[in-house]
Amino acid sequence: MMSVSSGSERHRSHRLLDIRAHDTPDDLWMVIHNKVYNVSSFVSEHPGGVEVLFDCGGVDATEGFDDVGHSERAVMMLEPYYIGDVAPEDQKRGSSLRSSAQSREPSEGTEKTVGKQIKENVHNFVGPNLALLLFAALAISSLVLYLGLQRTKLPR
């Protein structure tokens, strides 16, 4: 790892291989736009829940961060957790945090991505639970049919 000094702050250059080792609740790093953040102390405060951060621990979370359409305030909230940059040889090209002059609206294509995520969530729920859902639908329809027949039964 190469140390880089910036004023009185000391930031380092981190290899992706090293970043991957920081994926536990007590030691959670993530990459957003080629910048490395130690979010271990932010986990309990994250408005989107802890699971989202755990899923992004030790990896490049840029796409997920952008897809959510975080506000400019959320981007600014990252600053205290910044610990360095991804080593130049591991950096993704064309990836930088949006500036304050940029729009606060979600990134272009977010609707498609959100729709894709919803579809994936429905698929993940329905897939393993399909038999149960079919059984529930059959039971409810049978009950409705039975009750309907009971009401229309002619007295003898």
Side-chain angles (χ1 to χ4, degrees):
M1 274 188 255
M2 171 179 53
S3 290
V4 179
S5 294
S6 168
S8 63
E9 295 179 22
R10 183 180 141 143
H11 299 292
R12 300 179 71 116
S13 180
H14 302 277
R15 297 297 312 258
L16 287 177
L17 188 61
D18 298 326
I19 294 166
R20 285 188 194 110
H22 300 274
D23 64 349
T24 64
D26 297 329
D27 183 24
L28 195 65
W29 293 12
M30 63 179 55
V31 174
I32 300 174
H33 296 284
N34 291 320
K35 300 211 175 288
V36 183
Y37 299 92
N38 180 347
V39 294
S40 306
S41 61
F42 181 68
V43 171
S44 61
E45 300 172 36
H46 185 250
V50 297
E51 307 242 345
V52 174
L53 293 180
F54 292 153
D55 288 345
C56 298
V59 298
D60 188 331
T62 301
E63 186 176 336
F65 185 85
D66 287 346
D67 285 350
V68 170
H70 282 93
S71 67
E72 191 68 27
R73 182 174 182 271
V75 173
M76 290 172 49
M77 287 176 66
L78 287 171
E79 290 176 14
Y81 305 102
Y82 173 72
I83 58 170
D85 295 315
V86 173
E89 56 271 27
D90 290 337
Q91 287 187 4
K92 289 186 177 179
R93 302 293 174 233
S95 183
S96 65
L97 283 173
R98 52 193 138 135
S99 69
S100 58
Q102 288 181 306
S103 170
R104 295 179 188 211
E105 295 297 315
S107 59
E108 188 176 319
T110 298
E111 292 83 17
K112 282 193 231 174
T113 305
V114 170
K116 182 180 174 186
Q117 183 65 43
I118 291 170
K119 183 178 177 183
E120 185 178 309
N121 288 346
V122 168
H123 175 74
N124 288 341
F125 174 77
V126 172
N129 297 311
L130 185 59
L132 180 62
L133 290 171
L134 289 173
F135 176 76
L138 181 62
I140 290 170
S141 4
S142 299
L143 180 62
V144 169
L145 181 61
Y146 174 77
L147 292 175
L149 288 174
Q150 290 299 317
R151 293 179 95 195
T152 60
K153 221 178 205 181
L154 296 174
R156 292 186 180 189

